Amino acid sequence: MWPRSWGSSGLAYLTGRPDGPPDFSRANVLGRAGRVAAAVTARTGVAVDAAGLLTGRAALLGLSRGGRVSAGGATRLLAARDDWCALTLSRPDDLAAVPALLRADDVPEDPWPALAHWAATRPASEITERATLLDIPAARLGEAAPTAPRIRRTGPRAPARGVPGLLVADLSSMWAGPLCGQLLARAGATVVKVESPRRPDGTRAGGRAFFDWINGGKLSYAVDFDRAADELRELLAAADVVIEGSRPAALARRGLGPGHVAPRAGRIWLQVSGYDDQPGRPAFGDDAAVGGGLVGAGPEGPVFCADAVADPLTGLEAASAVTEALGRGGGELIRVSMAGIAATYAALPAEPSVSPCAAPPPRPPAACLPAAALGADNGEVRRLVAERRCPAC
């Protein structure tokens, strides 16, 4: 059952070597993701298509499988002296740090051959430790253990409730956190996408279709986290759900962490990180998936599984955790790690990598609302906050 649906979904098309057949070894991933999506659907009444969430970006951007090069192109699987590791160079700062990583004065414009040669002479643990010190996203294959969302009671509960009418402050960026926010928006929440005008969500500068798909229908609120921290804190105090994916210390030093915001009965605070035991460690969907061991397992060694698969899986699991918490009355801090979620899916039984089933490319998701321009809804957001602060005014 699962190999056929894995193939028809486009996930097999995105997994495997570019010069070889599609890889069906992780077909059971879709089965579990489908069950989580069904639970979210049952709680919200909104149809959630797991396969569409996992393949949507690739379909919109026309991505294909690259074997040991991620579908998006920014991450590579490198053979270390004793294992495999993944390295991501998606940001200008990552590329700028490569000379320090290699301890070289001069690095070619294409650094990957030099990185592959360097990695082959070192243990994977040394590679990931050094890269992490330089703030480069990196992971050793299978280093993370399966980790379910961690839930801690932090405040008073409210009566059990659904999603419609909630105010959600979405401080996250890229894919996992914003996907959770998008699912809540589709279920009837008012979701405010919070960005710094000095450092907006990096996906704004990428494929616009992907940014619209994940952020369409949200209000856009642009605020300087340093100069207008008090204003942002008021939004967080008014919110029923807060989604954040930044390093906890970055919010804490501005007085914007969950312990700094005025309590609100039933508030749910969701923290998305790369690694459960290292919340400040940088991570993206492809390297976090490798850290969790979620890779294609063909006969010639590991290849990337789908497209940045830890991101949509984490967003889906986070949405499930938040909607479940609403039924308990909230008042909780939920921590979700991408590598831990990937490891949970990697622990599922593997299937044979080769199947006679067809593997067509993924289908683009349905048309969506265009995302708002940066800061387009600042006035509306301030009105909502004032209304919640003084309902009778």
Side-chain angles (χ1 to χ4, degrees):
M1 175 181 178
W2 296 129
R4 184 176 300 278
S5 58
W6 177 262
S8 61
S9 68
L11 286 160
Y13 176 87
L14 296 169
T15 308
R17 298 184 65 87
D19 55 351
D23 189 319
F24 286 76
S25 60
R26 292 300 181 182
N28 278 315
V29 165
L30 185 55
R32 177 185 168 110
R35 292 189 291 274
V36 176
V40 175
T41 295
R43 297 186 197 114
T44 64
V46 174
V48 179
D49 173 22
L53 296 182
L54 300 185
T55 63
R57 187 181 84 147
L60 289 168
L61 303 183
L63 306 181
S64 185
R65 63 184 181 272
R68 293 184 183 136
V69 178
S70 65
T75 309
R76 306 265 176 126
L77 270 164
L78 302 176
R81 192 171 69 196
D82 59 346
D83 205 344
W84 291 88
C85 61
L87 203 66
T88 297
L89 302 178
S90 64
R91 305 167 297 181
D93 287 350
D94 299 328
L95 289 166
V98 170
L101 180 65
L102 298 178
R103 293 189 173 95
D105 295 327
D106 186 28
V107 175
E109 184 176 347
D110 177 4
W112 288 112
L115 285 166
H117 177 76
W118 172 78
T121 65
R122 287 161 173 78
S125 58
E126 177 187 326
I127 295 167
T128 55
E129 287 168 9
R130 181 160 176 78
T132 299
L133 284 173
L134 294 168
D135 207 37
I136 299 174
R140 188 178 77 253
L141 178 61
E143 66 172 278
T147 310
R150 296 186 183 273
I151 300 169
R152 178 166 61 88
R153 178 80 175 272
T154 56
R157 295 200 185 278
R161 52 187 168 166
V163 176
L166 295 179
L167 178 62
V168 179
D170 181 5
L171 282 69
S172 63
S173 61
M174 306 306 286
W175 195 351
L179 174 57
C180 177
Q182 177 58 237
L183 293 174
L184 295 177
R186 286 175 51 195
T190 297
V191 179
V192 178
K193 183 167 182 63
V194 182
E195 298 171 82
S196 166
R198 293 188 293 173
R199 193 172 184 178
D201 188 331
T203 56
R204 277 191 181 271
R208 183 70 195 196
F210 173 65
F211 186 80
D212 287 346
W213 178 53
I214 294 297
N215 296 291
K218 301 178 184 179
L219 301 178
S220 177
Y221 179 60
V223 59
D224 191 305
F225 283 37
D226 294 308
R227 298 176 184 174
D230 289 343
E231 182 179 332
L232 178 53
R233 194 176 299 109
E234 288 188 359
L235 169 60
L236 302 183
D240 301 297
V241 178
V242 176
I243 303 172
E244 52 114 333
S246 57
R247 301 173 192 191
L251 290 181
R253 70 170 177 264
R254 296 175 171 92
L256 297 171
H260 303 99
V261 177
R264 181 179 183 85
R267 179 187 298 124
I268 298 167
W269 196 292
L270 172 68
Q271 292 180 331
V272 179
S273 65
Y275 296 84
D276 183 65
D277 57 343
Q278 301 175 71
R281 181 176 170 183
F284 288 92
D286 283 306
D287 54 84
V290 172
L294 186 52
V295 293
E300 298 179 8
V303 292
F304 284 105
C305 175
D307 171 35
V309 71
D311 266 313
L313 289 176
T314 301
L316 179 58
E317 293 278 352
S320 179
V322 169
T323 54
E324 187 176 30
L326 289 169
R328 294 190 294 267
E332 296 175 353
L333 173 68
I334 303 173
R335 292 193 174 100
V336 186
S337 78
M338 293 197 295
I341 294 297
T344 300
Y345 282 82
L348 298 170
E351 298 282 348
S353 60
V354 178
S355 169
C357 299
R363 295 181 295 274
C368 58
L369 294 171
L374 183 64
D377 303 300
N378 277 22
E380 174 64 11
V381 172
R382 293 184 182 114
R383 185 192 66 77
L384 287 171
V385 171
E387 186 178 85
R388 288 198 162 211
R389 187 171 58 237
C390 183
C393 295

